[in-house]
Amino acid sequence: MNNNELAIKFSNDKYCTKKDVIDTLKTPLIDSIWKSVLEYRSAFSVVLPLKHINNSSYFVCLTPNMVERLSSVTRKLTRLSSTYDRMVGLAEKQYFNNSSYVKILKCVGLRYGLKLEDFVIDNIVNGNISTLSPELMILYRYHQCLLDIEKNPMDKVNNEILGRFYSYLIGSTELPSIFRTKEIQNNRSKVVVGKVYLGVPVNTIESNMEQLYSFLNSSQISMFIKAISAFYFIYYVKPFDEFTEEIATLVMKKVIAMNDIGSISAMIDLEDVVANKEELENVLIESQRTLDLTYLVDYILTKFESILSYTDESLFNSQKLAIHKEINQSEEENILNKTPSTNISDEDSFKNVSSNNVDVPTYTIKKTYDNDSSSSSIGYNRSIAISNLPTGLSEDEANRLENHLLELNPNLSRGQAYFYARHCTLGMNYTISQYKKELGCAYETARSSMDHLVYLGYYRKELLKNKYIYTPIKKG
């Protein structure tokens, strides 16, 4: 490879430090290559209105790959926020909030050497702290900070917000002063080509914080660049005597929340970013030494990408748990009310349903011989039973359809709407067993639910050998 190709490889493919390049090429003689790397990066560098104590400006390098990663994470987070905001049941949000906070507090606890059972953290999340030992109070206090972000997502970052977080964490509303008044003796503050600070001189704290607030409230740069820059700056300034990692993480969440993402920001496990303190501080020092915050952006984005995948799965599981609870409560109510059981066979049930005056269109399968993109690999035309919807609904689209069905037809239960929204492809056949497995309910509940969907005209029911199949009917 020539120098230009190496510059792209070490900047766009992977954002490498000078040491990374030396290690990869197995030679310290890289001056000309590193010069090409810096020249390539300069074309994508954006100067930030944040300055080091020596008055030099920080910058980020928005290479094509970095821009795509930032855009991808933003899209995913926006979708998660939209899904969270559209959760129609309080139970769904409660499941998600509680499970998220338990995971977060467990992560925080590990930083303090606390290995706790889930039920202990569950008590903290639910406010049951009467028997909480003193060393566990930090988890309760951190949870109060998270609740503050959840309930006040649009509040701007300023001295009041930081003071509030610090007050929660120390367990007192009486602060002797807003910021620390003592210099920090940190063995990380050492000469490495100029002085590296993880804790600026006391007399510069206030001006540095005002600089940060101005940047957060006026810059048009990417939400994540702002959030990660805020995380860096809190770590760099160390405005309080303690809890730097906690406050830096909380501020990062707060910046994401106030940039249209909202309450769900509190539930995203960004605490994992500071799980490996030594590794993190090495990246922070590299960013400060070079004034290039891209190293930190790259580090946090890599963690953020996997964190979002977990959050997405947790949201989905919370919706299913809420549905399972609804089904189980319904079954328990039937038992308590001594609702007579209907020991009717599937065949008898089908006869009863068919005897109602329901206009059931004829079921057909259309064979296709062209290259229509909507056809399946086995040659059958596949489309969704509800008109004006694309084939193969994503989970987000299925959630929207589920909510639409519940608004459209009050006779549908939550579980029935959930199942149908994900099993409504024309030409496909579904079974009672699928419903039972998908929703984790009793077979009798699954059978009656599927037959109810037949009665309402969503499926056509037919006997195939020794079992019944349910096929979506085109509607509207």
Side-chain angles (χ1 to χ4, degrees), residues 363 365 419 423 425-431 434 450 459-460 462 464 467-472:
Y363 164 77
I365 300 180
F419 183 84
H423 302 82
T425 302
L426 289 176
M428 299 298 286
N429 301 314
Y430 306 107
T431 65
Q434 280 180 279
M450 291 299 287
Y459 289 116
R460 176 180 174 81
E462 290 188 349
L464 179 66
K467 68 177 179 180
Y468 281 99
I469 58 172
Y470 297 79
T471 306

Side-chain angles (χ1 to χ4, degrees), residues 30-93:
I30 64 161
D31 286 352
S32 64
I33 295 172
W34 189 246
K35 182 180 178 181
S36 296
V37 168
L38 295 180
E39 286 176 353
Y40 174 81
R41 292 179 180 182
S42 66
F44 302 101
S45 293
V46 177
V47 177
L48 301 175
L50 294 175
K51 293 183 180 292
H52 186 265
I53 197 169
N54 66 10
N55 210 37
S56 299
S57 295
Y58 289 98
F59 68 91
V60 289
C61 184
L62 301 181
T63 62
N65 181 49
M66 183 61 68
V67 169
E68 175 52 37
R69 288 176 67 196
L70 286 167
S71 297
S72 175
V73 167
T74 300
R75 287 193 300 270
K76 289 176 183 176
L77 189 52
T78 301
R79 181 174 59 81
L80 287 175
S81 174
S82 178
T83 300
Y84 179 77
D85 289 343
R86 286 199 316 274
M87 279 183 164
V88 295
L90 290 177
E92 293 174 311
K93 283 193 175 181

Side-chain angles (χ1 to χ4, degrees), residues 51-52 108 110 124 126 131 142 163 174 224 257 261 304-305 316 373 392 403 407 476:
K51 293 183 180 292
H52 186 265
V108 174
L110 287 175
I124 296 172
N126 291 313
T131 59
Y142 193 86
E174 297 181 6
F224 281 99
I261 300 304
F304 208 101
E305 286 158 349
F316 177 69
S373 62
N403 291 330
E407 293 169 359

Side-chain angles (χ1 to χ4, degrees), residues 419 423 429-440 446:
F419 183 84
H423 302 82
N429 301 314
Y430 306 107
T431 65
I432 296 169
S433 295
Q434 280 180 279
Y435 189 103
K436 177 180 181 294
K437 181 178 179 181
E438 186 82 10
L439 276 83

Side-chain angles (χ1 to χ4, degrees), residues 223-319:
M223 160 179 60
F224 281 99
I225 298 297
K226 287 201 285 189
I228 295 169
S229 297
F231 176 88
Y232 167 82
F233 225 67
I234 297 295
Y235 223 109
Y236 158 67
V237 172
K238 285 189 182 291
F240 300 106
D241 289 315
E242 52 186 332
F243 300 118
T244 296
E245 298 92 338
E246 289 84 352
I247 291 174
T249 306
L250 291 165
V251 169
M252 180 162 55
K253 290 188 173 196
K254 190 75 189 68
V255 173
I256 293 173
M258 73 185 210
N259 280 271
D260 298 327
I261 300 304
S263 298
I264 195 174
S265 301
M267 275 75 79
I268 298 172
D269 186 18
L270 291 178
E271 285 70 15
D272 188 53
V273 168
V274 294
N276 188 328
K277 185 173 180 177
E278 183 175 358
E279 181 181 74
L280 171 64
E281 290 196 349
N282 285 335
V283 178
L284 287 162
I285 287 173
E286 182 66 22
S287 281
Q288 186 178 159
R289 189 181 65 79
T290 60
L291 300 175
D292 185 356
L293 296 188
T294 319
Y295 295 114
L296 182 61
V297 172
D298 179 57
Y299 177 81
I300 292 180
L301 265 185
T302 299
K303 289 182 174 290
F304 208 101
E305 286 158 349
S306 62
I307 289 168
L308 283 188
S309 295
Y310 176 87
T311 306
D312 190 19
E313 182 180 350
S314 181
L315 264 176
F316 177 69
N317 289 338
S318 297
Q319 291 173 312

